[in-house]
Coordinates of all heavy atoms in Angstrom, one line a residue:
S1 N -0.6 13.5 -10.8 CA 0.1 14.4 -11.7 C 1.3 15.0 -11.1 O 1.5 15.1 -9.9 CB -0.9 15.5 -12.2 OG -1.3 16.2 -11.1
P2 N 2.3 15.6 -11.9 CA 3.5 16.2 -11.4 C 3.1 17.3 -10.4 O 2.1 18.0 -10.6 CB 4.2 16.7 -12.6 CG 3.7 15.9 -13.7 CD 2.3 15.5 -13.4
T3 N 4.0 17.6 -9.5 CA 3.8 18.6 -8.5 C 4.1 20.0 -9.2 O 4.6 20.0 -10.3 CB 4.8 18.5 -7.3 OG1 6.1 18.6 -7.8 CG2 4.5 17.1 -6.6
E4 N 3.9 21.1 -8.5 CA 4.1 22.4 -9.0 C 5.6 22.6 -9.3 O 6.0 23.5 -10.1 CB 3.7 23.5 -8.0 CG 2.1 23.5 -7.9 CD 1.7 24.5 -6.9 OE1 2.5 25.3 -6.4 OE2 0.5 24.4 -6.5
T5 N 6.5 21.9 -8.6 CA 7.9 22.0 -8.9 C 8.4 21.3 -10.2 O 9.5 21.4 -10.6 CB 8.8 21.5 -7.7 OG1 8.5 20.1 -7.6 CG2 8.4 22.2 -6.4
G6 N 7.5 20.6 -10.8 CA 7.8 19.8 -12.0 C 8.3 18.4 -11.7 O 8.5 17.6 -12.6
R7 N 8.6 18.1 -10.5 CA 9.0 16.7 -10.1 C 7.7 15.9 -9.9 O 6.7 16.4 -9.4 CB 9.7 16.7 -8.8 CG 11.1 17.3 -8.9 CD 11.9 17.1 -7.6 NE 11.1 17.6 -6.5 CZ 11.4 17.3 -5.2 NH1 12.5 16.7 -4.9 NH2 10.7 17.8 -4.2
T8 N 7.8 14.6 -10.4 CA 6.6 13.8 -10.1 C 6.7 13.4 -8.6 O 7.7 13.3 -8.0 CB 6.6 12.5 -11.0 OG1 7.8 11.8 -10.7 CG2 6.5 12.8 -12.4
P9 N 5.5 13.1 -8.0 CA 5.5 12.8 -6.6 C 6.3 11.5 -6.3 O 6.9 11.4 -5.2 CB 4.0 12.5 -6.3 CG 3.3 13.3 -7.3 CD 4.2 13.3 -8.6
T10 N 6.5 10.6 -7.2 CA 7.3 9.4 -6.9 C 8.8 9.8 -6.8 O 9.6 8.9 -6.4 CB 7.1 8.4 -8.0 OG1 7.4 8.9 -9.3 CG2 5.7 7.8 -8.0
S11 N 9.2 11.0 -7.1 CA 10.6 11.3 -7.0 C 11.0 12.1 -5.8 O 12.1 12.5 -5.6 CB 11.1 12.2 -8.2 OG 10.5 13.4 -8.2
L12 N 10.0 12.2 -4.8 CA 10.3 12.9 -3.6 C 11.4 12.1 -2.8 O 11.4 10.9 -2.8 CB 9.0 13.0 -2.7 CG 8.0 13.9 -3.3 CD1 6.7 13.8 -2.5 CD2 8.4 15.3 -3.4
P13 N 12.3 12.8 -2.1 CA 13.4 12.2 -1.4 C 12.9 11.4 -0.2 O 11.9 11.8 0.4 CB 14.3 13.3 -1.0 CG 13.4 14.5 -1.0 CD 12.4 14.3 -2.0
G14 N 13.6 10.3 0.1 CA 13.3 9.5 1.3 C 12.3 8.4 1.2 O 12.4 7.5 2.0
C15 N 11.3 8.5 0.4 CA 10.3 7.5 0.2 C 10.1 7.2 -1.2 O 10.3 8.1 -2.1 CB 9.0 8.0 0.8 SG 9.0 8.2 2.6
R16 N 9.6 6.0 -1.5 CA 9.3 5.7 -2.9 C 8.1 4.8 -3.1 O 7.8 4.0 -2.2 CB 10.6 5.1 -3.5 CG 11.0 3.8 -2.9 CD 12.3 3.3 -3.4 NE 12.8 2.2 -2.6 CZ 12.9 1.0 -3.1 NH1 12.7 0.8 -4.4 NH2 13.3 0.0 -2.3
N17 N 7.5 4.9 -4.2 CA 6.4 4.0 -4.5 C 7.0 2.6 -4.9 O 8.1 2.6 -5.5 CB 5.6 4.5 -5.8 CG 4.5 5.4 -5.4 OD1 3.8 5.2 -4.4 ND2 4.2 6.3 -6.3
L18 N 6.3 1.6 -4.6 CA 6.7 0.2 -5.0 C 5.5 -0.4 -5.7 O 4.4 0.0 -5.5 CB 7.1 -0.6 -3.8 CG 8.3 -0.1 -3.0 CD1 8.4 -1.0 -1.7 CD2 9.5 -0.2 -3.8
T19 N 5.8 -1.4 -6.6 CA 4.7 -2.1 -7.2 C 4.2 -3.2 -6.3 O 5.0 -4.0 -5.8 CB 5.2 -2.7 -8.6 OG1 5.6 -1.7 -9.4 CG2 4.1 -3.5 -9.2
A20 N 2.9 -3.2 -6.0 CA 2.4 -4.2 -5.1 C 2.1 -5.5 -5.8 O 1.4 -5.6 -6.8 CB 1.1 -3.7 -4.5
T21 N 2.8 -6.6 -5.3 CA 2.6 -7.9 -5.9 C 1.3 -8.5 -5.3 O 0.8 -8.0 -4.2 CB 3.8 -8.8 -5.6 OG1 3.9 -8.9 -4.2 CG2 5.1 -8.2 -6.2
N22 N 0.9 -9.6 -5.8 CA -0.2 -10.4 -5.2 C 0.1 -10.8 -3.8 O -0.7 -10.9 -2.9 CB -0.7 -11.5 -6.1 CG -1.4 -11.1 -7.3 OD1 -2.0 -10.0 -7.3 ND2 -1.4 -11.9 -8.3
Q23 N 1.4 -11.2 -3.6 CA 1.9 -11.6 -2.3 C 1.8 -10.5 -1.3 O 1.3 -10.7 -0.2 CB 3.3 -12.1 -2.4 CG 3.8 -12.6 -1.0 CD 5.3 -13.1 -1.0 OE1 5.8 -13.4 -2.1 NE2 5.9 -13.2 0.1
V24 N 2.2 -9.3 -1.6 CA 2.1 -8.1 -0.7 C 0.6 -7.9 -0.4 O 0.3 -7.7 0.8 CB 2.7 -6.9 -1.3 CG1 2.3 -5.6 -0.6 CG2 4.2 -7.0 -1.4
K25 N -0.3 -7.9 -1.4 CA -1.7 -7.7 -1.1 C -2.2 -8.8 -0.2 O -3.0 -8.5 0.7 CB -2.5 -7.7 -2.4 CG -2.1 -6.4 -3.3 CD -2.9 -6.5 -4.6 CE -2.6 -5.3 -5.5 NZ -3.3 -5.3 -6.7
A26 N -1.8 -10.0 -0.4 CA -2.3 -11.1 0.5 C -1.8 -10.9 1.9 O -2.5 -11.1 2.9 CB -1.9 -12.4 -0.1
E27 N -0.5 -10.5 2.1 CA 0.0 -10.3 3.4 C -0.7 -9.1 4.1 O -1.0 -9.2 5.3 CB 1.5 -10.0 3.3 CG 2.3 -11.2 2.9 CD 3.8 -10.9 2.6 OE1 4.2 -9.7 2.6 OE2 4.5 -11.8 2.3
V28 N -1.0 -8.0 3.4 CA -1.7 -6.9 4.0 C -3.1 -7.3 4.4 O -3.6 -7.0 5.4 CB -1.7 -5.7 3.0 CG1 -2.6 -4.6 3.5 CG2 -0.2 -5.1 2.9
T29 N -3.8 -8.1 3.5 CA -5.1 -8.5 3.8 C -5.1 -9.4 5.0 O -6.0 -9.3 5.9 CB -5.7 -9.3 2.6 OG1 -5.7 -8.4 1.4 CG2 -7.1 -9.8 2.8
G30 N -4.1 -10.3 5.1 CA -3.9 -11.1 6.3 C -3.8 -10.3 7.6 O -4.4 -10.6 8.6
A31 N -3.0 -9.2 7.5 CA -2.9 -8.3 8.7 C -4.2 -7.7 9.1 O -4.5 -7.6 10.3 CB -1.8 -7.3 8.4
Y32 N -5.0 -7.3 8.1 CA -6.3 -6.8 8.4 C -7.2 -7.8 9.0 O -7.9 -7.5 10.0 CB -6.9 -6.2 7.1 CG -8.2 -5.4 7.4 CD1 -8.2 -4.3 8.2 CD2 -9.4 -5.8 6.8 CE1 -9.4 -3.6 8.5 CE2 -10.6 -5.2 7.1 CZ -10.6 -4.1 7.9 OH -11.7 -3.4 8.2
K33 N -7.2 -9.0 8.5 CA -8.0 -10.1 9.0 C -7.6 -10.4 10.5 O -8.5 -10.7 11.3 CB -8.0 -11.3 8.1 CG -8.7 -11.2 6.8 CD -8.5 -12.4 6.0 CE -9.2 -12.3 4.6 NZ -9.1 -13.6 3.9
R34 N -6.4 -10.3 10.8 CA -5.9 -10.6 12.2 C -6.5 -9.5 13.1 O -6.8 -9.8 14.2 CB -4.4 -10.7 12.3 CG -3.8 -11.9 11.7 CD -2.3 -12.1 12.1 NE -1.5 -11.0 11.6 CZ -1.0 -10.9 10.3 NH1 -1.3 -11.9 9.4 NH2 -0.3 -9.9 10.0
S35 N -6.6 -8.3 12.6 CA -7.1 -7.2 13.4 C -8.6 -7.2 13.5 O -9.1 -6.7 14.5 CB -6.6 -5.8 12.9 OG -5.2 -5.8 13.0
F36 N -9.3 -7.7 12.5 CA -10.7 -7.7 12.5 C -11.2 -9.2 12.1 O -11.6 -9.4 10.9 CB -11.3 -6.7 11.5 CG -11.0 -5.3 11.9 CD1 -9.8 -4.7 11.5 CD2 -11.9 -4.6 12.6 CE1 -9.5 -3.4 11.9 CE2 -11.6 -3.3 13.0 CZ -10.4 -2.7 12.6
P37 N -11.0 -10.1 13.0 CA -11.2 -11.5 12.6 C -12.6 -11.9 12.2 O -12.8 -12.9 11.6 CB -10.8 -12.3 13.9 CG -10.8 -11.3 15.0 CD -10.6 -9.9 14.4
R38 N -13.6 -11.0 12.4 CA -15.0 -11.3 12.0 C -15.1 -11.1 10.5 O -16.1 -11.6 9.9 CB -16.0 -10.5 12.8 CG -16.0 -9.1 12.4 CD -17.0 -8.3 13.3 NE -17.3 -7.0 12.8 CZ -16.4 -5.9 12.8 NH1 -15.2 -6.1 13.4 NH2 -16.8 -4.8 12.3
L39 N -14.2 -10.4 9.9 CA -14.2 -10.2 8.4 C -13.2 -11.1 7.7 O -12.0 -11.0 7.8 CB -13.8 -8.7 8.1 CG -14.7 -7.7 8.8 CD1 -14.1 -6.3 8.5 CD2 -16.1 -7.8 8.3
V40 N -13.8 -12.2 7.1 CA -13.0 -13.2 6.5 C -13.0 -13.1 5.0 O -12.0 -13.3 4.3 CB -13.6 -14.6 6.9 CG1 -12.8 -15.7 6.2 CG2 -13.5 -14.8 8.4
H41 N -14.1 -12.8 4.4 CA -14.3 -12.8 2.9 C -14.1 -11.4 2.4 O -15.1 -10.7 2.2 CB -15.6 -13.4 2.5 CG -15.9 -14.8 2.9 ND1 -16.4 -15.1 4.1 CD2 -15.5 -16.0 2.3 CE1 -16.5 -16.4 4.3 NE2 -15.9 -17.0 3.2

């Protein structure tokens, strides 16, 4: 929900939300699997 200042959190300066595509999710999952190779599924 909007912050007390009336701005939505996605409008904070310097950083922004992005829409995660299936490719991004797959890449992040791959990074996790590399760090914890015993977890495959």
